[in-house]
Amino acid sequence: MEFLQWNDKRMGLGIKLIDDQHKELLKIMNKLSTSINENSQKRNVLEIVEELVDYANYHFTTEEKIFDKLDYEETEIHKKEHAIFVEKFIKIKNKLSDNELYLKKSAIEIADDIFKYIINWFLDHISGSDRRYIELFKKKGIK
Protein backbone atom coordinates (compact mmCIF):
# COMPACT_ATOMS: atom_id res chain seq x y z
CA MET A 1 0.00 0.00 0.00
CA GLU A 2 1.21 3.50 -0.78
CA PHE A 3 1.78 5.74 2.22
CA LEU A 4 1.14 8.88 0.24
CA GLN A 5 -1.13 8.91 -2.78
CA TRP A 6 -1.09 11.45 -5.55
CA ASN A 7 -3.64 14.19 -5.02
CA ASP A 8 -4.23 16.29 -8.14
CA LYS A 9 -5.74 19.18 -6.19
CA ARG A 10 -2.87 19.46 -3.69
CA MET A 11 0.05 18.20 -5.77
CA GLY A 12 -0.90 18.64 -9.39
CA LEU A 13 0.37 21.61 -11.35
CA GLY A 14 -1.64 20.92 -14.49
CA ILE A 15 1.56 20.48 -16.50
CA LYS A 16 1.69 16.82 -17.54
CA LEU A 17 5.46 16.61 -17.95
CA ILE A 18 6.12 17.93 -14.44
CA ASP A 19 3.17 16.14 -12.81
CA ASP A 20 4.34 12.80 -14.26
CA GLN A 21 7.83 13.37 -12.86
CA HIS A 22 6.43 14.36 -9.48
CA LYS A 23 4.36 11.16 -9.48
CA GLU A 24 7.53 9.16 -10.14
CA LEU A 25 9.28 10.90 -7.23
CA LEU A 26 6.29 10.06 -5.06
CA LYS A 27 6.59 6.40 -6.09
CA ILE A 28 10.20 6.37 -4.92
CA MET A 29 9.20 8.01 -1.63
CA ASN A 30 6.59 5.31 -1.16
CA LYS A 31 9.32 2.70 -1.67
CA LEU A 32 11.06 4.27 1.29
CA SER A 33 7.85 4.04 3.31
CA THR A 34 7.52 0.38 2.35
CA SER A 35 11.11 -0.25 3.41
CA ILE A 36 10.27 1.17 6.84
CA ASN A 37 7.23 -1.09 7.17
CA GLU A 38 9.17 -4.15 6.03
CA ASN A 39 12.13 -3.61 8.38
CA SER A 40 14.56 -3.26 5.47
CA GLN A 41 18.31 -3.36 5.81
CA LYS A 42 20.50 -0.26 5.46
CA ARG A 43 21.62 -1.49 2.03
CA ASN A 44 18.00 -1.32 0.83
CA VAL A 45 17.57 2.18 2.25
CA LEU A 46 20.80 3.27 0.56
CA GLU A 47 19.59 1.91 -2.78
CA ILE A 48 16.33 3.85 -2.46
CA VAL A 49 18.21 7.04 -1.51
CA GLU A 50 20.44 6.58 -4.57
CA GLU A 51 17.38 6.10 -6.78
CA LEU A 52 15.80 9.18 -5.26
CA VAL A 53 18.90 11.33 -5.85
CA ASP A 54 19.23 10.08 -9.43
CA TYR A 55 15.59 10.72 -10.30
CA ALA A 56 15.49 14.06 -8.47
CA ASN A 57 18.52 15.18 -10.50
CA TYR A 58 16.76 14.12 -13.70
CA HIS A 59 13.60 15.99 -12.71
CA PHE A 60 15.46 19.10 -11.57
CA THR A 61 17.42 19.17 -14.82
CA THR A 62 14.16 18.99 -16.78
CA GLU A 63 12.69 21.93 -14.87
CA GLU A 64 15.89 23.97 -15.03
CA LYS A 65 16.27 23.54 -18.80
CA ILE A 66 12.75 24.88 -19.22
CA PHE A 67 13.51 27.77 -16.83
CA ASP A 68 16.54 28.72 -18.89
CA LYS A 69 14.66 28.41 -22.17
CA LEU A 70 11.80 30.60 -20.91
CA ASP A 71 14.03 33.03 -19.00
CA TYR A 72 12.08 32.35 -15.77
CA GLU A 73 12.76 35.20 -13.35
CA GLU A 74 13.04 32.94 -10.26
CA THR A 75 15.43 30.47 -11.90
CA GLU A 76 18.33 31.04 -9.51
CA ILE A 77 16.17 30.77 -6.37
CA HIS A 78 14.56 27.59 -7.65
CA LYS A 79 17.90 26.07 -8.69
CA LYS A 80 19.26 26.81 -5.22
CA GLU A 81 16.37 24.90 -3.64
CA HIS A 82 17.13 21.96 -5.91
CA ALA A 83 20.83 22.10 -5.05
CA ILE A 84 20.12 22.14 -1.30
CA PHE A 85 17.89 19.09 -1.67
CA VAL A 86 20.49 17.13 -3.66
CA GLU A 87 23.29 18.13 -1.26
CA LYS A 88 21.21 16.96 1.71
CA PHE A 89 20.68 13.55 0.13
CA ILE A 90 24.27 13.15 -0.96
CA LYS A 91 25.27 13.80 2.65
CA ILE A 92 22.73 11.24 3.83
CA LYS A 93 24.04 8.73 1.30
CA ASN A 94 27.59 9.28 2.55
CA LYS A 95 26.51 9.02 6.19
CA LEU A 96 24.76 5.74 5.50
CA SER A 97 28.06 4.34 4.34
CA ASP A 98 30.52 5.57 6.93
CA ASN A 99 29.15 7.87 9.63
CA GLU A 100 29.50 6.36 13.11
CA LEU A 101 26.19 7.78 14.35
CA TYR A 102 24.34 6.39 11.34
CA LEU A 103 26.11 3.04 11.64
CA LYS A 104 24.61 2.68 15.12
CA LYS A 105 21.08 3.55 13.98
CA SER A 106 18.74 0.93 12.62
CA ALA A 107 17.70 1.06 8.99
CA ILE A 108 14.17 1.85 10.17
CA GLU A 109 15.29 4.91 12.15
CA ILE A 110 17.34 6.16 9.22
CA ALA A 111 14.58 5.60 6.67
CA ASP A 112 12.03 7.23 8.95
CA ASP A 113 14.21 10.36 9.36
CA ILE A 114 14.73 10.55 5.60
CA PHE A 115 11.06 9.93 4.85
CA LYS A 116 9.84 12.71 7.17
CA TYR A 117 12.24 15.19 5.61
CA ILE A 118 11.46 14.29 2.03
CA ILE A 119 7.68 14.32 2.41
CA ASN A 120 7.76 17.77 3.98
CA TRP A 121 10.18 19.08 1.35
CA PHE A 122 8.22 17.56 -1.53
CA LEU A 123 4.86 18.95 -0.44
CA ASP A 124 6.26 22.37 0.45
CA HIS A 125 8.21 22.61 -2.82
CA ILE A 126 5.30 21.62 -5.04
CA SER A 127 2.77 23.79 -3.25
CA GLY A 128 5.17 26.74 -3.04
CA SER A 129 8.05 27.15 -5.47
CA ASP A 130 6.67 25.02 -8.28
CA ARG A 131 3.31 26.78 -8.29
CA ARG A 132 5.05 30.06 -9.07
CA TYR A 133 6.06 28.93 -12.56
CA ILE A 134 2.73 27.40 -13.64
CA GLU A 135 1.40 30.52 -15.35
CA LEU A 136 4.59 31.10 -17.35
CA PHE A 137 4.88 27.44 -18.42
CA LYS A 138 1.26 27.31 -19.57
CA LYS A 139 1.51 30.69 -21.31
CA LYS A 140 4.54 29.38 -23.25
CA GLY A 141 2.76 26.13 -24.19
CA ILE A 142 4.47 23.75 -21.75
CA LYS A 143 1.90 21.09 -21.01
Side-chain angles (χ1 to χ4, degrees):
M1 186 182 125
E2 293 181 339
F3 175 80
L4 192 60
Q5 293 185 343
W6 181 261
N7 178 317
D8 257 339
K9 188 174 181 176
R10 184 166 183 211
M11 299 173 191
L13 301 178
I15 301 165
K16 185 176 180 348
L17 172 68
I18 303 299
D19 285 345
D20 286 350
Q21 290 182 2
H22 285 165
K23 287 174 186 175
E24 188 61 33
L25 283 168
L26 192 62
K27 255 191 239 179
I28 299 167
M29 288 183 247
N30 279 315
K31 279 187 190 179
L32 190 58
S33 172
T34 300
S35 78
I36 294 167
N37 292 328
E38 293 177 353
N39 293 326
S40 292
Q41 301 300 310
K42 288 180 189 171
R43 178 179 31 80
N44 302 102
V45 174
L46 182 59
E47 288 171 5
I48 295 167
V49 168
E50 286 174 348
E51 182 181 4
L52 179 66
V53 169
D54 289 346
Y55 196 83
N57 272 322
Y58 167 74
H59 168 64
F60 296 159
T61 299
T62 299
E63 280 188 344
E64 292 169 8
K65 282 180 181 176
I66 297 170
F67 294 162
D68 292 342
K69 183 178 173 184
L70 302 181
D71 201 26
Y72 177 52
E73 65 184 36
E74 292 188 35
T75 295
E76 292 311 311
I77 295 166
H78 208 103
K79 283 182 176 180
K80 185 159 178 78
E81 289 177 19
H82 290 167
I84 290 168
F85 177 88
V86 171
E87 286 170 24
K88 167 102 175 156
F89 277 88
I90 288 172
K91 285 179 185 174
I92 288 170
K93 194 169 101 172
N94 292 337
K95 284 180 182 180
L96 282 170
S97 303
D98 61 343
N99 183 284
E100 215 172 289
L101 177 63
Y102 267 76
L103 292 174
K104 291 178 183 177
K105 283 186 164 187
S106 74
I108 304 310
E109 290 175 297
I110 294 166
D112 193 44
D113 288 347
I114 295 168
F115 189 71
K116 287 175 187 169
Y117 173 82
I118 191 166
I119 290 298
N120 288 328
W121 189 92
F122 180 75
L123 294 174
D124 287 347
H125 188 75
I126 288 177
S127 63
S129 300
D130 283 356
R131 293 218 177 272
R132 290 196 289 272
Y133 65 64
I134 293 173
E135 189 178 323
L136 174 65
F137 275 35
K138 287 183 176 179
K139 184 176 164 184
K140 298 291 185 173
I142 308 293
K143 298 177 182 180

